[in-house]
Amino acid sequence: MPLLREMDKITLPLANETALSGVLDKNLKKLGSRLGVSLALRGDQLLIDGDTQRTAFARHYFEKLNELRDRGHQLREEDLLIALDMLEESPSASLEDYAPPEPLNLSRKSVNPKSLNQQAYLQAIKNHDLVFGIGPAGTGKTYLAMAMALAFLQNKAVNRIILTRPAVEAGEKLGFLPGDLIQKVNPYLRPLYDALFDLCQYDQANRLIERGVIEIAPLAFMRGRTLNGAFIILDEAQNTTREQMKMILTRAGFDSKLVITADITQIDLPQPRRSGVLQAIKILSPLPEIAFVHFNDRDVVRHPLVQKIIKAYQKAETRED
């Protein structure tokens, strides 16, 4: 690292707290990459190396973190990232009203939003009966919706959970697959099971499924039903037809929540422009009762390489357009 100037040093009380220094050390490279600088800890001194503009922003960011700490907030890894999201969107943004969100305490684990958009998504689900989560894979759209569904069930705000997906993708029909109907549709529904079992104790989840409290079914099974007191998640909605989307939007009954997740960059329908979710976004966006939360590559919580892959594809597709 080059010889650091005095202006590149900042006192960081965060580093003195054992719980946070562990989080901060682990994320030092991630934060440095996001800020475009090199970071190193020396006791309670944070050393910042980079060009003048990026160094100034990094200093501003860590000073804001210190202010949050001085107001008594116990900052976690996700709070560091959410604060960075806020300041990247608006460097003059005030963090005075920011308070770390309460975790969703489920039977198997606690879940916290790890980005500003994820935080907005959870808040939207709390405040709206219909929410669209739009964005690339790995941004937590389905996982967080599942966590909220389990939290609502746990708090008796709903009496059942309905998880559904289109069962016909990439123009393929189920008929060529071996087995009975359940075996045919199971591969399409597997990601929903994966999220459920990661958040909920295995035996508990199976009991809830056996009792019908949690139902996982292809979208076609929703036709003709009215779903009262239910938390409904429609996953992979980019692969719904316009007719299917209208059908599911009219299924929700009293005291129900409907969360629709979609990655509009991966539409597998034979005619992608006729995706039901694209039409729904256009038609329903003006309605204030409906929330639309858009995710981007910064919200990806998978392997760091996934963010770079998404960016690379976005650049390539922009050039092709």
Side-chain angles (χ1 to χ4, degrees), residues 107-280:
S107 64
R108 186 172 181 183
K109 61 170 62 175
S110 293
V111 177
N112 294 289
K114 295 185 181 300
S115 71
L116 190 59
N117 285 331
Q118 288 192 359
Q119 183 176 333
Y121 185 53
L122 294 184
Q123 197 61 42
I125 294 173
K126 291 178 182 177
N127 297 334
H128 296 79
D129 290 337
L130 174 55
V131 177
F132 285 78
I134 312 295
T139 50
K141 306 183 300 295
T142 303
Y143 191 83
L144 291 175
M146 183 75 73
M148 285 295 287
L150 290 169
F152 268 68
L153 183 66
Q154 185 173 280
N155 295 330
K156 298 184 175 12
V158 297
N159 53 45
R160 56 179 169 162
I161 297 172
I162 310 292
L163 309 172
T164 186
R165 275 181 145 209
V168 179
E169 299 178 359
E172 298 172 353
K173 303 296 183 182
L174 295 176
F176 76 94
L177 294 172
D180 58 22
L181 180 61
I182 299 301
Q183 291 171 320
K184 288 176 186 290
V185 301
N186 190 62
Y188 294 98
L189 304 176
R190 192 72 252 167
L192 293 172
Y193 283 102
D194 291 343
L196 173 62
F197 289 132
D198 188 65
L199 290 164
C200 193
Q201 296 290 348
Y202 186 84
D203 290 344
Q204 180 188 18
N206 277 323
R207 285 196 300 272
L208 292 172
I209 292 171
E210 289 171 3
R211 289 163 45 201
V213 176
I214 296 178
E215 179 182 349
I216 305 177
L219 181 58
F221 286 22
M222 298 299 109
R223 191 172 298 279
R225 302 176 63 183
T226 299
L227 305 173
N228 294 318
F231 195 116
I232 309 153
I233 300 174
L234 169 59
D235 195 30
E236 298 287 342
Q238 73 274 8
N239 291 324
T240 59
T241 64
R242 294 180 176 184
E243 293 76 16
Q244 287 175 324
M245 178 57 69
K246 183 179 178 181
M247 179 269 290
I248 193 65
L249 288 172
T250 56
R251 293 309 92 199
F254 293 106
D255 300 319
S256 288
K257 292 269 184 184
L258 174 57
V259 179
I260 296 173
T261 72
D263 178 359
I264 57 176
T265 68
Q266 296 190 43
I267 300 175
D268 297 320
L269 296 172
Q271 296 179 292
R273 293 182 182 277
R274 293 191 59 79
S275 167
V277 80
L278 294 181
Q279 184 189 48

Side-chain angles (χ1 to χ4, degrees), residues 32-43:
S33 176
R34 282 278 300 272
L35 291 163
V37 298
S38 295
L39 302 173
L41 281 172
R42 299 291 184 271

Side-chain angles (χ1 to χ4, degrees), residues 6-21:
E6 187 62 30
M7 66 170 293
D8 294 325
K9 298 180 182 179
I10 182 172
T11 300
L12 190 68
L14 290 168
N16 287 331
E17 300 178 16
T18 303
L20 280 193
S21 65

